[in-house]
Structures are given as C-alpha cells and as structure tokens.
Amino acid sequence: MRALTWHGKHDVRVDTVDDPGIVNPRDAIVRVTSSAICGSDLHIYDGLIPAMSAGDILGQEFMGEVVEIGAASTLRRGQRVVVPSTIACGGCYHCAKQQYSACDNGNPPENQDLASLHYGLPSAARFGCGRMAGGYSGGQAEFVRVPFSDTGPLVVPDGVADDRLLLLADTLPAGWQAAQNADIEAGDTVAVWGCGPVGLCAVQASRILGAERVIAIDHYTHRLEQARALGAEAVNFSHTYVHEALIDMTGGVGPDACIDAVGMDAHGTFFEMIADPVNSSISPTMKPSHVIYQAIMACRKGGRISMSGCYGGMIDSFPLGALMRKGLMLRSGQADVQRHMPQLLRLVLDEAIDGAFLISHRHDLEQAADAYLQFHYARNEVTKVVLTTGVYRL
C-alpha cells in the first residue's frame, strides 16, 4: 500500500509499504477514505517529538471503511467508521471512568518507559506518533490496523460527506472538551487563545454550552475572521496588549473562563522550554509560557482555566502564585475522544456544530509531502488539510 512515512525533520515521503494485517482478535483493518494533518503532526514534522523512527507512518485523524475484522471485533465489513486518535482498551481503570486518553493498556509495556521517565506514568497510545505513544502506524495511508476495534471506532451513517464527519476523530472532541473543562455557565464571558482548528471548535462549543460572549485571540487575520463568523469578538495580539484588552472588555473583572488552545510553540523543544522573564510573557510572540501566563493573569478571581493545548516539557515563569491567590481552577489533558464522539455525531447530524468549514485544502495522498510543506509555511491561509484516497466520499 501507499503511506506517508517520517524520515526526519521536514522529511516525509509517500512510500510503498507492507499492508497491515490482523494481529489481535480485537483488531480491524480500515481502508482510509480521508485523513487530516493535525497541529500535532506538524510537531512531528518539525522534529520535536522523541522516539520517532524512520519509516513510521503518520496520521492520527482519519476515517474509512472496515475491510477486515478479527474474531473479537464488534465491527462488520463494509461499515463506515471514524477512528478516534487515542487508542484505548475500554476495560482498564481509566477507561471505566471514560478517561480514554489515560488508558493503561493501549500503549504496550515495552513502549512505556520513556513517557514514565518524563511524566511520572506512561502516556496513552495514539496513532502515528512514534514509540512513546505506542508505536502504532497512523492513518495517512491507504489502510490502517485499528486495535481495540470493539471500543474505539464510531460507526457513522452513509450519505454524509467525509468532510462533515472526519474531525470527529480528534479536532471536534478536543475543542468540545476544552470548553467542557472550563465549566462554562450561562452568561459567561470566555476567552479562547488560538484560532486554529481546536480553538475554533472551542469557540463553537463555548457558545453551545451557554457562553454569552466569546473572545478569540490570535494574530492570523483569516483565522480571526473565522472566529468572528462563529459569533466571537476578536483580539489580534500583534496589535493589542491582550491583558489590558481583556480587562477592559470585561469591565475590569476579567473573563469567567479562559481556554489555552495553543500549547507548546512549534519552534521550542520537547523536553525543555526556554525560561522567559516575567515581562516577556506579554510579548506578542506567543511562546509556550505566554499563553498560559496570560490566561492565568487575565482570568477573573474564582474563574476557570482550561489548558487543552499540547505541552511536552518544562515551562519556567509559571505564575503559580496568581493561580493560587486568585482561587483559579486549572484543568488540562488530551481529549477523551471516545467519550465525546456519540454526542458530537448527533450535533453534527443536527447541524448544531460544524467541522467541515475548517477544511481549507484537500490533496491526494500522493501529494502529502507537499501538503505538509504548505501547512507548515502558510498558517494564515491553511486551517485544516485533508488527504484523500481514491475512495473518498463526497
């Protein structure tokens, strides 16, 4: 089959590789119809994710058609499925609590040491993210092996375009959970840092969950325009001192809830973040510590912070004193995709929430290397890139 493989920093190639096969009775083989390039994929492209090996197949957000099943799979051949980015067993302590992104069993024991060393405990498994995340091949390929297929994939109806369903695999659940973690109440003012796909989904989710005002913060004009189209007020941090703007817009109180949908800077490093002086945290460069610093400093006393952006290492100049003295709640974590998919599917089919508008560019799988290059260098023009195969469903 054909698949996009990683060979080093800024070196990805579409190669011919072996077709996947059934390894475990709970496995299924899915023929991919659409896959997306995520911001996390760009971190891999920039060489920031450890434990990648030459030839690893990328892609954590994909959907397709079931073509082969193991003896214990609950799927059927021919079913159309969206596959969650996180791989979860469905039966461990965390899965029983629907904390699928903390699953103990998705990541094989032989791949758990590196994450345990840096995070204290093993991380969950994800498609296409290297050995530290389980070593599973991703979905930017013609076919993919899906483990725990009796727990993960969501069967979706025929007659609905891939574009409307694809982002159920990661982006929509990530934005939804970001808003849920902010404990939004009716009438709240919510500030969202970052108008990438997850941030824009968090804007939508915040409105659905009852926010009266949503303030979107970014510097890419196209993305700010998209936020405005969703009903948000826009703050361009290249032109505005964010803290003063938020305090002024909220009558001196600060937002009720703040969502960090940015995470680590693509030009930083994975296990070490640069220590910035306190004053630099208001700079419009949006480096790793800047967003969470701004969110904590701007949030009203007794407010809530939702940190959905991906962080990988240490950050200095963290305003722990402000977090404590203001009585703020801080919640974080990668999305428990399996938990949110059924509800979000209903919202998508009812046209109450939308991910299709985020798709700005589409390429055939064979052009995947060029698509990565385009996404990397044209952030203002590119929101979400989708890679399709010959069986893509309109």
Side-chain angles (χ1 to χ4, degrees), residues 208-366:
I208 293 171
L209 294 173
E212 182 176 324
R213 299 174 67 195
V214 179
I215 303 169
I217 303 155
D218 207 304
H219 71 299
Y220 292 113
T221 56
H222 175 64
R223 294 183 176 190
L224 288 171
E225 289 168 1
Q226 289 180 303
R228 289 190 186 96
L230 295 172
E233 302 166 59
V235 172
N236 188 325
F237 68 77
S238 292
H239 307 147
T240 305
Y241 179 21
V242 173
H243 182 84
E244 285 186 353
L246 292 175
I247 298 303
D248 182 63
M249 294 169 76
T250 56
V253 176
D256 299 288
C258 295
I259 297 173
D260 171 3
V262 177
M264 67 178 177
D265 188 284
H267 302 291
T269 59
F270 191 81
F271 291 127
E272 181 179 13
M273 298 297 180
I274 297 172
D276 295 306
V278 172
N279 287 340
S280 76
S281 62
I282 61 174
S283 163
T285 56
M286 288 294 242
K287 289 182 180 177
S289 61
H290 296 166
V291 172
I292 193 61
Y293 180 99
Q294 287 184 352
I296 291 172
M297 297 302 286
C299 193
R300 72 161 172 84
K301 290 175 282 188
R304 291 91 62 193
I305 307 289
S306 172
M307 191 171 70
S308 65
C310 180
Y311 287 91
M314 305 294 182
I315 290 180
D316 290 328
S317 301
F318 186 84
L320 188 61
L323 183 76
M324 178 268 175
R325 291 182 179 274
K326 293 174 73 176
L328 302 179
M329 180 191 76
L330 172 62
R331 296 183 67 183
S332 64
Q334 292 189 305
D336 301 311
V337 177
Q338 290 89 333
R339 173 159 60 98
H340 302 300
M341 289 174 81
Q343 180 183 10
L344 288 169
L345 174 60
R346 291 192 295 270
L347 290 172
V348 166
L349 296 179
D350 291 341
E351 299 184 352
I353 196 167
D354 178 34
F357 82 96
L358 293 166
I359 298 171
S360 57
H361 295 74
R362 185 179 291 104
H363 297 271
D364 185 87
L365 177 64
E366 291 295 328

Side-chain angles (χ1 to χ4, degrees), residues 362-383:
R362 185 179 291 104
H363 297 271
D364 185 87
L365 177 64
E366 291 295 328
Q367 282 75 53
D370 292 337
Y372 267 79
L373 191 67
Q374 179 188 46
F375 196 4
H376 184 265
Y377 288 107
R379 301 291 183 87
N380 190 46
E381 293 79 23
V382 180
T383 310

